[in-house]
Amino acid sequence: MRGVIGEVEEKLRSNEYKMTPKREYVLRVLLENKDKHLSAEEVYNLVKIKAPDVGLATVYRTLELFSSFDIIHSMDFGDGRKRYEFGVDNGDGHRHHHLICVQCGKIIEMNEDLLEDLEERVNRTYNFTISDHELKIFGRCSECMPKNKKE
């Protein structure tokens, strides 16, 4: 974790920002919850446990700062709330995709790139080079599927 914090600190410094203790608390919460898609309020509640003096506005500003430098990625899963992910770059410039349960809100990450053929077709047909894409598929997870199709 220390290495990642150092990398983020260097990225901030190279853009004339400092890694303040409050920013580090936000970063640590994001790192400790890498597998989750936290809202700003959820980040705030987790930061508040360790640093009660950190305000919600500070968390919002920090999340926006981290987003602006591609340290984290924000997305909306259809519930009107921005959610944040740390370390979304998988090395080829594409993010993973998400399956979103419309009943319970569960989010399942898919690491398969299902859109390679479409990207090639878009490039060829429209002379358009895609730098990134994001796919969200809405439906019901296995826990929310009716056990009996008669329902």
Side-chain angles (χ1 to χ4, degrees):
M1 185 183 298
R2 183 92 320 265
V4 173
I5 292 171
E7 289 173 23
V8 171
E9 187 172 8
E10 181 55 39
K11 191 171 222 178
L12 291 175
R13 195 173 342 167
S14 69
N15 288 285
E16 300 182 11
Y17 286 89
K18 292 181 181 176
M19 176 62 87
T20 64
K22 291 178 181 181
R23 288 178 181 155
E24 188 171 334
Y25 281 120
V26 172
L27 181 59
R28 284 182 179 278
V29 162
L30 292 168
L31 288 169
E32 290 165 1
N33 294 278
K34 262 189 191 184
D35 58 333
K36 297 182 180 142
H37 303 84
L38 300 174
S39 68
E41 293 81 10
E42 290 168 327
V43 171
Y44 168 69
N45 288 329
L46 291 169
V47 167
K48 204 167 73 167
I49 293 167
K50 298 176 182 185
D53 62 322
V54 176
L56 182 58
T58 299
V59 170
Y60 272 109
R61 283 192 304 271
T62 301
L63 292 171
E64 288 307 310
L65 178 69
F66 289 171
S67 288
S68 71
F69 294 127
D70 291 325
I71 296 165
I72 61 173
H73 176 64
S74 67
M75 64 206 79
D76 183 342
F77 290 120
D79 61 359
R81 295 167 60 182
K82 265 190 187 178
R83 298 191 182 271
Y84 298 89
E85 254 184 340
F86 184 86
V88 295
D89 187 3
N90 61 12
D92 65 0
H94 290 94
R95 295 186 179 99
H96 53 263
H97 306 303
H98 298 92
L99 305 174
I100 302 147
C101 180
V102 296
Q103 190 165 333
C104 70
K106 181 178 182 177
I107 301 165
I108 302 166
E109 293 183 356
M110 286 178 41
N111 289 312
E112 300 173 58
D113 191 352
L114 305 173
L115 301 178
E116 285 181 33
D117 292 340
L118 177 61
E119 284 184 15
E120 287 176 24
R121 195 169 72 223
V122 166
N123 183 292
R124 202 173 41 252
T125 305
Y126 299 98
N127 194 26
F128 185 85
T129 303
I130 297 172
S131 59
D132 195 5
H133 64 260
E134 184 176 317
L135 178 65
K136 296 180 247 182
I137 300 173
F138 297 88
R140 287 191 181 162
C141 69
S142 60
E143 287 87 22
C144 293
M145 287 286 263
K147 300 295 180 216
N148 190 342
K149 292 277 184 184
K150 293 179 185 176
E151 290 181 27

